[in-house]
Amino acid sequence: MIPGGRLIQALLAWAVLGVAPLLARAWMPGLAMPALLVWALLGVLLALWALDDLRRLRQRPTPAAERRLPAALSVGVAQTVTLILETGGVAERWLVADHHPADDIHTGLPRTLTLVPGHQRVEISYPYRPSRRGTVRFGPIELWLPSPRGLWRARRRIDADRAVPVYPDFSPIARAALAVDRSRSRFGNRVQPRQGEGLEFHELRDYQPGDSPRRIDWKATARRRRLITRHYQDEQNQTVWVLLDGGRRMALPIGGLTAFDHGLNAALLLAWSALRQGDRTGALLFSGDQPRWLDPVHGQQGIQSLLRGFHDVQPADRASDFSQAARHFHGRWSRRALVVIISRVQPEDADDLLTAVRLLGRRHLVMVADMELPEQAALRQRPVTDLDDALRVAADAREHEQRRDLHLRLRHAGAHLVAATPATLAERLGHTYQQLKRAGRL
């Protein structure tokens, strides 16, 4: 409860009138006492007037209000939040605030709202842009209401607590998926038969020239009185596993997102592509505070399960441990799968990463996705103008040579390698998966 503008003005006017008794005492002593009594009486009346206004304000019921916002938000994408207030048709000025998450200070709140008499309801909207994944919490809606005479302002809070999940922004993933689809339609989608793998029955059909006589279904042929063959196709329950690094190295900010966010976007694109191809997709977060295992899902709706499973994960303050992740995965999953390790590989990872690749390669097809920093890629194209530039370029060239040697050793160990900047990693990973799919390597 705070005094309003009218009360402050009235108090100032009453204080100014207090000068009159002093002047009367100096110039007209006989009028000093009556002037003082009048001034005191005005003060009493002002106090009674203010107290009555305060009482009426306290008796005023709190207006009803609600907040409308999407059931889920996307990181970095502005969404509209709408507040709906029941005004009762009064003609007043309200100060409206909302206890939204503090990661966005550009919402335009608090806001002064001028009510139109006769309107029972009013809506105000403001934009909110979440800055990181996870769960954000909205608190109460706050109103500052004037008293009937405008002498006081009271703060009223309306409970509207709500927790909303913030998922990765799927729009760039969808654009990358569209680019992969265009490439697939351009070069075709013929899948080579997989050697050493089983086939599953698909359908019965009329005999066609070139069909193997061993596939003739004699019982169906006898019933239909024409040659019928059994048609087979590759097994559809192929599985793609994403092993996403959640160590401290993935906390590095790159272009407004962390390296972990870029890796997660690449993982989601790969999962989306695999699910659309009929494959199953599972995920394992390693090097985090707790390993997070997401069982394989299938169908295009399965991407929602992966989004929910990883939306609140942030990189931990731990070193990346590839061999431990490989042992953990090797102990829980025995069927052959495509295993994709997504990280920001360092030259010192050589022994640990090679151990992981060799262990996983006993059962699975292994792919390593290495995220390259954009600054390093740009540095190799930068002209050398002074000694500092020369030292930076030389240091980067040495590290690049070490990384290239590690990439070569990974290929010799049987891993497929995808090295790209965060901006192109998702699309490159999707293309490589499609190539393996077309070649029948899964």
Side-chain angles (χ1 to χ4, degrees):
M1 198 79 62
I2 60 174
R6 289 185 180 180
L7 180 57
I8 294 175
Q9 294 174 1
L11 289 174
L12 289 176
W14 180 71
V16 171
L17 291 176
V19 179
L22 298 178
L23 295 176
R25 185 177 180 181
W27 298 97
M28 292 175 289
L31 296 178
M33 185 56 66
L36 183 61
L37 291 175
V38 172
W39 179 75
L41 180 60
L42 289 175
V44 172
L45 294 176
L46 177 60
L48 293 175
W49 188 46
L51 290 175
D52 179 66
D53 197 35
L54 179 60
R55 177 187 60 81
R56 295 172 63 183
L57 177 59
R58 287 181 172 177
Q59 292 176 349
R60 178 178 183 176
T62 300
E66 64 174 311
R67 180 194 300 113
R68 291 181 182 175
L69 71 163
L73 304 173
S74 297
V75 62
V77 179
Q79 297 284 349
T80 300
V81 181
T82 302
L83 303 179
I84 303 175
L85 310 174
E86 300 290 344
T87 64
V90 296
E92 295 178 338
R93 291 170 63 89
W94 292 3
L95 184 65
V96 182
D98 190 12
H99 287 250
H100 57 75
D103 57 343
D104 187 359
I105 61 174
H106 303 291
T107 60
L109 295 181
R111 183 184 306 174
T112 300
L113 185 64
T114 302
L115 304 182
V116 179
H119 288 200
Q120 300 294 322
R121 173 181 293 189
V122 66
E123 296 184 4
I124 63 172
S125 300
Y126 66 90
Y128 168 66
R129 185 192 303 270
S131 61
R132 59 181 298 174
R133 290 174 295 99
T135 300
V136 296
R137 299 189 179 277
F138 288 79
I141 300 172
E142 188 170 293
L143 304 175
W144 284 92
L145 306 178
S147 61
R149 300 188 181 100
L151 302 181
W152 303 93
R153 297 183 71 87
R155 182 173 65 178
R156 301 291 177 87
R157 289 192 174 188
I158 301 137
D159 291 336
D161 294 353
R162 183 175 172 185
V164 183
V166 179
Y167 294 134
D169 180 15
F170 207 77
S171 56
I173 303 174
R175 288 194 295 269
L178 180 61
V180 172
D181 288 346
R182 288 174 177 171
S183 174
R184 187 177 64 193
S185 62
R186 179 181 178 185
F187 296 105
N189 194 31
R190 182 174 182 271
V191 179
Q192 298 293 333
R194 295 175 293 140
Q195 299 181 359
E197 295 292 333
L199 299 175
E200 62 181 10
F201 173 74
H202 180 53
E203 63 180 354
L204 293 174
R205 70 180 186 185
D206 291 339
Y207 177 84
Q208 297 178 3
D211 286 347
S212 172
R214 291 179 298 178
R215 293 190 175 182
I216 296 177
D217 189 312
W218 294 108
K219 291 184 179 180
T221 297
R223 288 194 303 268
R224 301 184 185 183
R225 298 185 179 182
R226 63 179 186 275
L227 288 177
I228 302 297
T229 59
R230 299 174 64 89
H231 180 57
Y232 295 86
Q233 64 179 9
D234 286 339
E235 289 182 313
Q236 297 301 307
N237 57 345
Q238 302 166 24
T239 307
V240 178
W241 274 94
V242 177
L243 274 57
L244 180 59
D245 186 0
R248 68 169 66 98
R249 70 177 60 179
M250 301 296 283
L252 180 70
I254 304 175
L257 297 175
T258 63
F260 182 84
D261 284 304
H262 288 293
L264 180 57
N265 288 343
L268 291 174
L269 171 64
L270 177 61
W272 177 243
S273 299
L275 292 172
R276 295 176 67 190
Q277 292 293 311
D279 293 337
R280 298 189 301 166
T281 305
L284 169 65
L285 172 75
F286 67 93
S287 298
D289 293 330
Q290 291 291 335
R292 183 167 296 195
W293 178 279
L294 300 182
D295 289 323
V297 295
H298 61 86
Q300 296 188 28
Q301 297 302 320
I303 195 68
Q304 299 297 331
S305 299
L306 299 178
L307 283 171
R308 289 191 297 268
F310 275 152
H311 85 277
D312 60 340
V313 176
Q314 303 295 338
D317 190 19
R318 293 173 179 265
S320 301
D321 194 332
F322 299 97
S323 58
Q324 183 184 40
R327 289 192 298 269
H328 181 75
F329 178 80
H330 190 76
R332 293 193 60 172
W333 191 263
S334 58
R335 296 190 60 183
R336 174 180 169 81
L338 171 63
V339 179
V340 183
I341 302 174
I342 300 179
S343 181
R344 195 168 62 85
V345 177
Q346 302 296 322
E348 57 267 21
D349 297 329
D351 294 337
D352 187 38
L353 187 54
L354 285 168
T355 300
V357 168
R358 293 188 181 107
L359 176 60
L360 294 172
R362 296 175 187 174
R363 297 178 182 170
H364 312 291
L365 181 65
V366 182
M367 184 191 306
V368 177
D370 182 16
M371 196 179 308
E372 183 181 17
L373 296 181
E375 294 80 2
Q376 292 178 312
L379 188 60
R380 289 190 286 273
Q381 307 296 328
R382 181 176 176 179
V384 177
T385 58
D386 53 28
L387 179 60
D388 291 338
D389 287 343
L391 293 175
R392 281 193 292 268
V393 170
D396 176 72
R398 178 176 176 81
E399 181 180 357
H400 181 64
E401 184 69 22
Q402 293 173 341
R403 290 169 65 89
R404 188 169 60 181
D405 291 342
L406 175 55
H407 291 173
L408 183 61
R409 295 176 64 186
L410 289 171
R411 290 189 177 96
H412 286 168
H416 295 266
L417 192 72
V418 176
T421 61
T424 59
L425 180 63
E427 186 174 341
R428 290 278 302 279
L429 203 56
H431 280 300
T432 305
Y433 161 76
Q434 295 292 346
Q435 290 172 359
L436 294 174
K437 183 77 173 177
R438 288 195 298 267
R441 295 294 308 277
L442 270 63

